[in-house]
Amino acid sequence: MKNNLKVLRAMRDWSQAELAGHLDVSRQAINAIETGKYDPSLPLAFKIARLFEQNIEDIFDDEFAGATNEQK
Amino acid sequence: MPYNPIAPSQDERSNIYFIQWFGLAASIGMLIDYFAILPTGFNQILYTMTSAILLVTLFSKRFDEHFYTLRDEACRWATGFIALCMIVASIFKIADLSEHLGFWSVTGELNLSDKDSFLFILPPQLMMILACIIFFATIQIKSLRA
């Protein structure tokens, strides 16, 4: 899943390790999320959203949103 | 968030990824030991190290969700390998059984208690070592691809 976590992290001038510390996960997990190789769980996604004071959908790109709207 | 005095540190969460390299190295060492006799005491260290890392990896709850995903994937591949070996062994077993039934149809004597007739495609110890290698290798491959 695409996301702008890297941009948000850069805006706060945090390293991956620092962000990992804020979210109670490993640096490797942050790297995997940023590169889109790993989709975080819902609790972690909420945690990220709370940390950056944004909505989840503003951080994570819902690639299936278009398809769902078309079905409607 | 409530304070948790035994919460894992950042280093602790990251170290488990690094420890997996030792698990992979030790399990490959076990494979080398299987085919070529290593000095006395060396193989005990390898077996102890691999089993300790496996137990910590499988049962500790002090890691993050990304590592659990990698661990689940590694378990899937390692268990899948064991299942594959069992399928092959069962095919041999069916072939063996048909031989017994053929013998029975000709002679009227049925002897199914012959334990030696069960053919393993791999010796159990080698199968165990290969499953360990597959487990640790899967974690590393998935981790490096991320």
Side-chain angles (χ1 to χ4, degrees):
Chain A
M1 185 184 283
K2 288 179 184 173
N3 61 77
N4 57 2
L5 193 61
K6 196 172 183 176
V7 177
L8 292 168
R9 180 172 62 79
M11 282 165 67
R12 300 212 175 187
D13 205 19
W14 283 343
S15 65
Q16 286 186 338
E18 282 174 314
L19 178 57
H22 284 291
L23 296 170
D24 294 328
V25 294
S26 64
R27 187 197 57 75
Q28 289 85 346
I30 297 298
N31 184 49
I33 294 169
E34 281 187 357
T35 52
K37 295 281 173 17
Y38 171 66
D39 294 335
S41 66
L42 203 51
L44 181 57
F46 272 116
K47 214 170 178 178
I48 293 169
R50 267 198 306 274
L51 181 67
F52 291 108
E53 295 170 335
Q54 296 204 13
N55 294 322
I56 288 181
E57 57 268 34
D58 295 334
I59 301 173
F60 296 97
D61 180 29
D62 184 4
E63 56 199 88
F64 299 109
T68 313
N69 290 337
E70 280 171 20
Q71 282 177 355
K72 286 177 183 174
Chain B
M1 185 186 288
Y3 171 68
N4 181 3
I6 55 162
S9 66
Q10 174 61 27
D11 284 343
E12 207 174 335
R13 281 195 199 91
S14 291
N15 283 348
I16 189 66
Y17 292 87
F18 184 65
I19 288 169
Q20 300 307 308
W21 282 111
F22 287 101
L24 182 62
S27 50
I28 290 171
M30 279 162 47
L31 185 67
I32 294 168
D33 178 63
Y34 184 83
F35 290 109
I37 305 299
L38 293 177
T40 312
F42 199 72
N43 55 355
Q44 280 90 339
I45 293 169
L46 293 173
Y47 276 78
T48 308
M49 203 167 136
T50 306
S51 56
I53 294 171
L54 264 180
L55 286 172
V56 169
T57 303
L58 290 171
F59 295 107
S60 179
K61 294 181 176 175
R62 296 176 65 79
F63 314 126
D64 66 346
E65 57 178 61
H66 176 240
F67 184 77
Y68 293 141
T69 311
L70 296 176
R71 187 185 68 182
D72 291 348
E73 187 73 19
C75 281
R76 194 176 304 140
W77 279 93
T79 321
F81 167 74
I82 293 168
L84 187 70
C85 290
M86 288 170 74
I87 289 168
V88 174
S90 72
I91 290 168
F92 275 109
K93 181 73 176 170
I94 291 166
D96 204 35
L97 182 67
S98 62
E99 190 183 318
H100 278 295
L101 290 174
F103 184 76
W104 170 72
S105 64
V106 173
T107 63
E109 293 174 16
L110 186 61
N111 181 18
L112 293 175
S113 62
D114 186 6
K115 292 287 183 192
D116 295 333
S117 65
F118 191 85
L119 293 172
F120 272 103
I121 190 69
L122 288 174
Q125 191 184 356
L126 182 59
M127 198 164 84
M128 178 188 80
I129 293 168
L130 290 176
C132 288
I133 291 174
I134 289 169
F135 180 86
F136 290 116
T138 305
I139 288 184
Q140 293 306 339
I141 290 166
K142 292 279 172 187
S143 181
L144 290 174
R145 282 177 65 190

